[in-house]
Amino acid sequence: MTTIPDISEAPPRHRPPDDLSRFAWLSIAAAAVTILLKTLAWRITGSVGLLSDAAESLVNLVAAIIALVALKVSIRPPDKNHPFGHSKAEYFSAGAEGMMIFIAAAVIMYTAVQRFIHPRSIEDVGIGLLVSVLASVVNGLVAWVLLKNGRQRRSMTLIADGKHMLTDVWTSVGVLVGVGLVWLTGWQRLDPIVAFAVGVNILVTGAKLVGQSGTALLDVSLPKEDNEAIRDFLDAHSNDHVKFHAVRTREAGYRRFLEFHMLVPGSWTVKQGHDAMEDLIDEILDEWPEMRVSGHLEPIEDPRSYEDMDV
């Protein structure tokens, strides 16, 4: 009679995902502060450029809330209906943010055209610019934190939010330049011209985010350097008796997946082949703790083992 071991107390093989929602809360707080500051700057000056800047910060706030939800959903463990986990929820966050940016850009560009047709003087420029600069500093610091942690933890949600906030900083710089030029030259239509350019820039950012999230949903492979490192690792474990082919990788949010075929002598017992595979997977997880690894064992002498090696 075969004895089945008790695995109820076995430790988890894979490292659990990090809860990154604290960065979303940081983004929400930054968006709320910058909305208040930029709205104050607009009320002081009457600049449509500063108004457009405040509108983009409102988009930042909504995007940060969506990012919070996505980050919470993405770390849910696999279940019956989602055996590979929920990490792709991050891509929906980036896509939704891109769509909201389209709406904000349309509103900004429409307002800019109206103000160009009906120009209006800008008042108290010095105070307004000072308030807007303060808001940009807040955005810049938070964007740096989001991008740094997003790249370290491979979170598309944090990277998208960070890039959006960084774009907001450069947008603010453009608006400040526009308002400053109006102040210096007295030509009121410079303000809506800069605001329209801001709208175009925001539109481009939204298109990039939607494109990136759509591409990622197609189960894109890991970056080239990661794939090369994995192949070098497997090559180092190859010999006259053990070979590898059909090596495939993909990523879904912070999760990364690797599958491969391991060819061994057909004379090996099931246990011998299984132990060799498990030992190899343990080494892979030591090198890439977040990887989900699936290996398929095949006899090296069987011609059918080579039918799917062209991948």
Side-chain angles (χ1 to χ4, degrees):
M1 181 177 178
T2 302
T3 302
I4 300 177
D6 181 12
I7 61 172
S8 58
E9 300 299 325
R13 190 170 198 179
H14 299 96
R15 186 179 65 187
D18 295 328
D19 185 352
L20 304 179
S21 60
R22 61 188 181 280
F23 296 108
W25 282 112
L26 176 64
S27 182
I28 290 172
V33 170
T34 53
I35 286 172
L36 291 175
L37 290 174
K38 290 180 180 181
T39 301
L40 176 61
W42 164 63
R43 294 289 294 176
I44 291 173
T45 64
S47 165
V48 69
L50 291 174
L51 174 60
S52 69
D53 214 7
E56 187 182 4
S57 294
L58 183 61
V59 174
N60 284 350
L61 176 60
V62 178
I65 293 173
I66 293 176
L68 174 64
V69 175
L71 288 171
K72 283 294 187 181
V73 172
S74 69
I75 62 173
R76 289 180 181 175
D79 55 35
K80 184 177 180 180
N81 293 325
H82 307 88
F84 292 100
H86 302 76
S87 54
K88 283 190 177 181
E90 291 201 44
Y91 299 141
F92 291 101
S93 170
E97 183 173 351
M99 295 305 297
M100 286 188 298
I101 290 175
F102 287 154
I103 298 174
V107 173
I108 291 170
M109 294 166 73
Y110 174 80
T111 305
V113 171
Q114 293 299 311
R115 185 59 63 89
F116 185 85
I117 298 173
H118 306 289
R120 175 182 167 183
S121 62
I122 298 177
E123 302 173 353
D124 297 319
V125 174
I127 298 176
L129 293 183
L130 181 62
V131 174
S132 187
V133 166
L134 180 59
S136 296
V137 170
V138 172
N139 266 344
L141 290 174
V142 174
W144 178 79
V145 172
L146 293 179
L147 288 171
K148 178 183 177 182
N149 285 275
R151 286 165 181 157
Q152 287 179 347
R153 303 163 189 269
R154 295 187 319 282
S155 169
M156 187 172 181
T157 296
L158 293 186
I159 291 175
D161 208 15
K163 284 184 176 180
H164 186 194
M165 294 191 75
L166 193 60
T167 300
D168 192 24
V169 173
W170 291 114
T171 297
S172 298
V173 171
V175 170
L176 294 175
V177 170
V179 174
L181 289 174
V182 171
W183 186 26
L184 292 173
T185 65
W187 190 35
Q188 304 300 328
R189 284 190 169 90
L190 273 176
D191 180 40
I193 289 174
V194 172
F196 189 88
V198 167
V200 173
N201 180 54
I202 295 172
L203 198 63
V204 172
T205 301
K208 288 181 178 178
L209 285 176
V210 171
Q212 289 172 357
S213 62
T215 300
L217 284 171
L218 296 176
D219 280 347
V220 66
S221 176
L222 296 183
K224 181 180 179 180
E225 56 272 17
D226 291 334
N227 285 326
E228 290 178 349
I230 290 170
R231 292 186 182 277
D232 289 343
F233 180 91
L234 294 178
D235 287 343
H237 287 75
S238 300
N239 52 51
D240 292 339
H241 302 291
V242 178
K243 302 291 183 183
F244 301 93
H245 68 230
V247 180
R248 305 179 181 94
T249 64
R250 67 183 179 92
E251 59 183 348
Y254 63 87
R255 289 184 184 272
R256 301 200 289 177
F257 297 88
L258 164 65
E259 64 177 61
F260 57 86
H261 292 188
M262 181 176 179
L263 297 96
V264 301
S267 58
W268 281 17
T269 64
V270 173
K271 185 178 187 307
Q272 190 176 1
H274 175 263
D275 287 345
M277 175 75 77
E278 291 301 310
D279 290 344
L280 177 67
I281 292 177
D282 285 340
E283 289 189 49
I284 293 174
L285 294 179
D286 286 340
E287 188 74 21
W288 297 280
E290 71 290 339
M291 194 78 75
R292 297 308 193 263
V293 185
S294 176
H296 177 60
L297 206 62
E298 296 179 316
I300 199 169
E301 309 91 348
D302 190 345
R304 292 183 300 175
S305 299
Y306 301 88
E307 291 176 352
D308 55 0
M309 65 182 298
D310 295 327
V311 177

